[in-house]
Amino acid sequence: MYKRFKKLFYVFLLSQPPIARLRQWRNIISILLIMSIPYPALAADNKSNDFILKTELADSAGNEAAVHLKPITIIGIDSNQPTQSNTSILKGRLLHLQRSDTLGRTLEKELGVSNASFGPGVGIPVIRGLTGSRIRMLQSGIGSHDAASLSPDHAVAIDPLFAEEITIIRGPETVRYGGNAIGGVVDVKDHRIPERAPKNLVSGSVESRYDTNGNGTNSAVKLNLGKDWLAFNLGGFYRSRGDIRIPGKAIDEHFIAQQYGLTDIQNISGKIPNTDSESNGGFAGISWLGDTAMAGMSISHVDNRYGVPRGSHGLDPNHLGGLELILPKLNDLTGFEDIFGPQALFPNIRLAMRQTRYDFKSEWYEPIRGIERIGFRYGLVDYQHTEIQGGLPFTKFKNEAGEGRFEIDHHFFPRLTGTFGVQWIGRNFSALGVETFVPETKQHSLGFYTTQQYTWNRWIVSGGVRIEQSRVNPKASELRLRGSALPPIPLPDELKYQTTSFSSSLQRNLVDDLTMTISFNQGKRSPDIQELLSLGPHLSIRSFDIGNVQLKNETMNMVDLGFDWKKERFSLRVNGYYNRTDDFIFQRNTGLVYEIDNEVIRQQCVSKAECVSIFAYDQQDAEFIGYESEFGATLYKLPQGDLLLTLFSDYVRGRFVRGMHGDVPRMPPLRYGIELGLDNSRWNSALRYTRAEAQNHPGENETITKGYHLLTVSADYQMKMGKWADVWLFAKGTNLLNEEIRSSVSFLRNFAPEPGRSFVLGLRATF
């Protein structure tokens, strides 16, 4: 039978004209390429509104090749329908201007988003007061799988320099991404896997910028190669900066006196030592682009080396048990460098991070009637970072993860569209070395979900449900603190969790240009590894972390009401929300301290350099109430451009209810401000003023942060270089008033304020 089929197959091919034979072989290879991707390695990406290039070869009669554009249907969205009020998309000109060293700083101007910094090398987005394991960081639909959710001193392994579009999701669509997305999603789309062939054989972009604060330099290049059904993407970047400059003192001495009872400390003004950083990386991607399908993959790598502000720990020269009487002055350590030098007394803490990822993507468009798309997406991540103290490696964190997604988009009925999907994640985590405060652990999760949307006249009804199972398998049988008299904590062989999440929204076009959206989400999240299994000092963030294996699932119930009004000369966007979270997991400051050298717990610290605060993971019902609002108007249409006005404000209040009545720690403050801009097709400029009020609800055993005034300015100009290239010159100034800003969402706010006045100059060219 096989031989007969093989013979008929060759007869069929040989009977075709030469060009037709080439086309048949191309189609056969295309099918084999799609089928060659193993099932576990297939995962879906977000719905794409790109176009597929469909190329028809010339026939034997000599007809010229023709290129046709075939649009892909965007499921459930009409071009005349308004966007979701709780979803933000940052792209194009605005994204280029807002790009910064970290993802958090890039997004900190967005409504409802703050930046949890840990020095200039770390910036993690905070959405509506939530961060860590409640916010999923995605790279083109697949998780970043770094250690950012484990600790606030760990950087997100996604570099904004390659971002083509950043989507912030707060609404019902978060159900697609699992329990770790109940607070929101940040999806950075960089198109490393090509989704279309370039218009020209070679295209790309080059960008370079310079930051006066810390002499920071950023450079990146991206190339798009290909033609017809084959496309390549290549890119690389390099970033470097020195210590940041600040307007006042690095350490908040009032906080040290209040928290540790110390009044005699060493402080520094004008800059924060050990905040320099250097990073580089690159990627390569390849795709086959067929008539109705595509398949591609990419390989990327990033290295990031950065320091965290000093003062974390080390010997205190004022409390050396009598040795201070024979020590020379700190600026004259001749003969004592190896014992009492600056690195012995106050060792620098550096982090050396690296990540290698392999991403795979395959999509099949309209395979049968009623099915719009079948998509597979898979990512393999090899992540590790080493914490280096005084030049010596102390602790190495490793995370090896694989995440897959398979989705089917349907349109079986005229008014009903939706998605069915499955997502799976496998993770091997370890933290080995001197400061091992989390044991080696395996974590697995499997989730099934669906989102559906029904459109009728001016109404859009959306809903979704997700069922997820996860398990945590620690390799250790108990948690024991090395060298301590504290009794060990026994651990089970396996911790299992099951969660069910729901989402729904109702969108109504009240009039042609006014839309109301109301949504309700009930999301559940199982505890993360560090929340369950931590025990030990984490010196880079000045904490002693205690996990809790008795933690239960936390349940978030959120109601969101939004209005979006768009006219020719003005627009208004308002969102109000109420979030009641049962069994909210948080780190409670116990008020106790842990002496590192003596390995004992005390009520009060004897030496600033020898002890850290003790934080214990706990659960308590909490509620969050907040809003986001933005009004934009075109004041005048001038010959030089349009004069634009923007008013904005956001706020969230988090507090515990039932039993423990207090404030949720590290909440962002009330912000409001105004922006004036002048804009035309060639250039634009903007002056922005933001007022942040004092955060008078800091949380138990935390300190109040003062309010501040933030003034920024930006401008860019586009030059046409014929038909071959476009060049943008841009500049922006930040913190022009040189204010001392201590961010209430930052763990390190009392040891490292935000950077002082800075100016960024840059150039970007596309060709």
Side-chain angles (χ1 to χ4, degrees):
M1 182 69 181
Y2 169 75
K3 293 182 178 180
R4 181 178 300 178
F5 174 78
K6 181 177 179 182
K7 182 177 180 181
L8 290 173
F9 177 73
Y10 281 117
V11 169
F12 168 74
L13 285 180
L14 292 175
S15 65
Q16 304 295 318
I19 295 299
R21 286 204 301 271
L22 286 175
R23 184 160 54 243
Q24 296 293 342
W25 277 114
R26 185 195 65 179
N27 293 336
I28 292 167
I29 293 173
S30 303
I31 295 172
L32 291 176
L33 278 172
I34 296 176
M35 295 177 64
S36 67
I37 302 177
Y39 174 77
L42 300 174
D45 195 8
N46 296 332
K47 302 178 183 70
S48 172
N49 61 349
D50 294 335
F51 292 98
I52 301 177
L53 288 180
K54 180 180 179 181
T55 305
E56 294 184 356
L57 298 176
D59 57 24
S60 57
N63 295 330
E64 295 182 356
V67 178
H68 301 279
L69 292 176
K70 180 181 179 181
I72 301 172
T73 304
I74 302 175
I75 306 300
I77 299 176
D78 189 283
S79 59
N80 297 321
Q81 293 175 358
T83 57
Q84 292 284 347
S85 58
N86 45 27
T87 299
S88 304
I89 299 177
L90 185 64
K91 61 181 179 180
R93 207 170 190 175
L94 188 59
L95 173 59
H96 299 327
L97 273 176
Q98 289 188 200
R99 273 200 188 113
S100 190
D101 291 355
T102 65
L103 190 57
R105 199 167 183 199
T106 299
L107 299 176
E108 64 183 351
K109 290 184 179 180
E110 295 299 299
L111 289 176
V113 182
S114 304
N115 175 33
S117 63
F118 205 91
V122 180
I124 301 173
V126 178
I127 300 178
R128 293 178 171 178
L130 302 177
T131 188
S133 296
R134 297 178 184 88
I135 306 296
R136 282 223 72 190
M137 306 293 173
L138 304 178
Q139 186 169 310
S140 297
I142 294 294
S144 60
H145 293 294
D146 44 43
S149 63
L150 180 74
S151 175
D153 65 318
H154 301 161
V156 179
I158 299 177
D159 198 283
L161 274 176
F162 290 132
E164 299 290 341
E165 180 180 301
I166 301 178
T167 303
I168 304 168
I169 304 173
R170 313 173 185 88
E173 281 294 311
T174 58
V175 76
R176 296 179 58 209
Y177 302 100
N180 291 115
I182 62 174
V185 173
V186 177
D187 190 5
V188 180
K189 299 178 182 178
D190 49 27
H191 303 313
R192 298 187 180 191
I193 299 178
E195 297 179 351
R196 71 177 83 179
K199 295 180 181 179
N200 302 317
L201 188 62
V202 180
S203 63
S205 62
V206 178
E207 182 173 327
S208 183
R209 58 179 67 197
Y210 172 77
D211 189 345
T212 60
N213 192 324
N215 296 320
T217 59
N218 299 265
S219 298
V221 59
K222 186 175 182 179
L223 294 177
N224 308 310
L225 312 170
K227 189 177 181 182
D228 298 335
W229 53 274
L230 192 62
F232 300 88
N233 279 354
L234 302 170
F237 79 93
Y238 175 79
R239 174 183 289 117
S240 175
R241 70 173 303 136
D243 293 337
I244 64 167
R245 295 197 301 271
I246 56 175
K249 294 182 178 181
I251 300 176
D252 184 348
E253 296 179 358
H254 174 74
F255 163 79
I256 295 297
Q258 175 182 328
Q259 191 83 2
Y260 298 101
L262 300 174
T263 57
D264 185 16
I265 64 168
Q266 290 192 344
N267 209 340
I268 192 169
S269 299
K271 71 173 183 178
I272 305 179
N274 196 45
T275 52
D276 59 302
S277 63
E278 183 179 20
S279 60
N280 59 78
F283 69 89
I286 180 173
S287 288
W288 166 83
L289 305 169
D291 293 347
T292 59
M294 64 84 62
M297 66 168 294
S298 70
I299 303 173
S300 58
H301 181 83
V302 61
D303 281 294
N304 189 6
R305 296 163 297 281
Y306 60 93
V308 299
R310 283 184 178 180
S312 298
H313 65 293
L315 297 176
D316 187 336
N318 298 313
H319 300 84
L320 293 174
L323 289 176
E324 68 272 14
L325 300 178
I326 63 172
L327 280 178
K329 294 182 179 180
L330 288 178
N331 58 3
D332 181 18
L333 295 173
T334 305
F336 296 90
E337 293 87 355
D338 56 341
I339 303 175
F340 300 115
Q343 282 302 304
L345 294 172
F346 301 102
N348 286 338
I349 298 180
R350 312 280 303 175
L351 277 78
M353 184 198 83
R354 71 156 184 82
Q355 185 190 74
T356 302
R357 2 180 348 136
Y358 306 87
D359 288 280
F360 305 88
K361 178 180 179 180
S362 179
E363 292 189 339
W364 189 7
Y365 310 106
E366 300 182 15
I368 61 174
R369 185 178 179 86
I371 299 295
E372 300 289 347
R373 180 186 69 100
I374 297 177
F376 301 89
R377 193 82 161 81
Y378 190 75
L380 283 171
V381 178
D382 180 11
Y383 170 92
Q384 74 174 36
H385 82 255
T386 303
E387 294 192 358
I388 302 169
Q389 300 181 28
L392 299 175
F394 265 47
T395 309
K396 177 179 288 188
F397 293 82
K398 297 186 67 176
N399 193 36
E400 297 176 350
E403 178 180 348
R405 186 183 295 274
F406 167 62
E407 290 184 332
I408 299 176
D409 298 338
H410 77 84
H411 196 175
F412 289 118
F413 305 100
R415 299 182 182 275
L416 180 66
T417 60
T419 299
F420 295 94
V422 57
Q423 178 190 15
W424 61 94
I425 300 176
R427 175 187 181 194
N428 293 330
F429 174 81
S430 64
L432 306 175
V434 177
E435 295 178 13
T436 301
F437 65 98
V438 180
E440 193 171 352
T441 308
K442 289 187 176 182
Q443 187 178 35
H444 300 274
S445 67
L446 176 65
F448 298 89
Y449 60 90
T450 180
T451 58
Q452 304 295 320
Q453 182 171 282
Y454 181 79
T455 304
W456 179 67
N457 293 337
R458 294 178 176 269
W459 297 89
I460 301 176
V461 182
S462 302
V465 62
R466 180 187 182 97
I467 300 173
E468 184 172 354
Q469 289 187 335
S470 62
R471 65 180 189 270
V472 177
N473 301 96
K475 291 190 175 181
S477 60
E478 62 182 18
L479 292 177
R480 180 186 293 273
L481 186 61
R482 179 180 53 84
S484 174
L486 293 174
I489 301 173
L491 295 177
D493 294 333
E494 184 174 70
L495 294 163
K496 292 184 178 181
Y497 301 92
Q498 181 170 329
T499 60
T500 302
S501 301
F502 303 91
S503 69
S504 60
S505 71
L506 180 66
Q507 185 172 319
R508 162 73 173 174
N509 291 21
L510 301 178
V511 293
D512 290 340
D513 44 25
L514 176 61
T515 303
M516 179 193 72
T517 304
I518 183 170
S519 62
F520 172 75
N521 297 346
Q522 185 184 76
K524 292 192 176 184
R525 179 181 76 90
S526 57
D528 211 344
I529 291 175
Q530 75 280 0
E531 297 168 333
L532 295 166
L533 306 175
S534 296
L535 182 65
H538 195 188
L539 301 181
S540 58
I541 64 172
R542 296 193 56 82
S543 72
F544 182 98
D545 297 343
I546 301 177
N548 185 351
V549 294
Q550 302 299 321
L551 293 176
K552 301 178 292 184
N553 292 332
E554 67 176 23
T555 304
M556 178 183 292
N557 303 280
M558 178 179 284
V559 179
D560 194 314
L561 178 62
F563 293 90
D564 199 341
W565 194 9
K566 293 182 180 179
K567 300 287 287 186
E568 182 181 357
R569 297 291 293 268
F570 73 88
S571 64
L572 176 65
R573 175 186 169 191
V574 179
N575 263 70
Y577 58 90
Y578 173 78
N579 170 11
R580 170 62 181 260
T581 301
D582 298 329
D583 298 316
F584 180 79
I585 301 173
F586 70 104
Q587 277 189 294
R588 177 172 54 86
N589 190 332
T590 63
L592 302 174
V593 295
Y594 177 78
E595 285 194 359
I596 299 166
D597 294 339
N598 298 325
E599 297 180 332
V600 296
I601 295 175
R602 297 185 184 275
Q603 291 185 339
Q604 190 173 11
C605 186
V606 176
S607 169
K608 173 186 76 70
E610 292 178 345
C611 61
V612 294
S613 299
I614 296 179
F615 291 87
Y617 282 99
D618 203 350
Q619 286 188 298
Q620 176 69 37
D621 294 350
E623 64 178 10
F624 303 83
I625 304 173
Y627 71 86
E628 299 130 7
S629 62
E630 183 177 74
F631 171 79
T634 302
L635 298 180
Y636 297 102
K637 290 186 175 293
L638 304 174
Q640 297 83 6
D642 297 338
L643 182 61
L644 307 176
L645 169 70
T646 303
L647 304 174
F648 57 90
S649 178
D650 59 14
Y651 176 69
V652 59
R653 173 81 164 92
R655 57 188 178 186
F656 295 110
V657 295
R658 285 190 183 176
M660 176 182 172
H661 294 280
D663 303 311
V664 178
R666 290 173 292 281
M667 287 286 103
L670 168 65
R671 298 188 302 184
Y672 52 88
I674 181 173
E675 179 177 296
L676 288 174
L678 194 59
D679 178 71
N680 65 22
S681 60
R682 299 291 296 274
W683 60 275
N684 71 58
S685 59
L687 180 66
R688 184 182 182 95
Y689 166 76
T690 303
R691 168 61 180 171
E693 296 291 348
Q695 179 51 277
N696 296 315
H697 306 284
E700 184 182 11
N701 295 314
E702 299 286 347
T703 55
I704 292 173
T705 53
K706 298 178 180 179
Y708 59 85
H709 305 271
L710 179 62
L711 187 65
T712 63
V713 63
S714 62
D716 73 322
Y717 177 73
Q718 180 182 2
M719 296 184 297
K720 293 284 187 180
M721 311 297 289
K723 63 179 182 178
W724 302 105
D726 291 334
V727 176
W728 283 267
L729 302 175
F730 58 89
K732 63 178 180 179
T734 306
N735 196 5
L736 299 182
L737 302 177
N738 209 29
E739 288 258 310
E740 181 182 290
I741 299 174
R742 297 188 185 271
S743 174
S744 61
V745 300
S746 172
F747 259 91
L748 207 65
R749 60 183 180 272
N750 295 304
F751 295 88
E754 301 302 300
R757 184 185 296 116
S758 66
F759 295 94
V760 174
L761 306 174
L763 177 147
R764 174 181 171 83
T766 60
F767 54 91

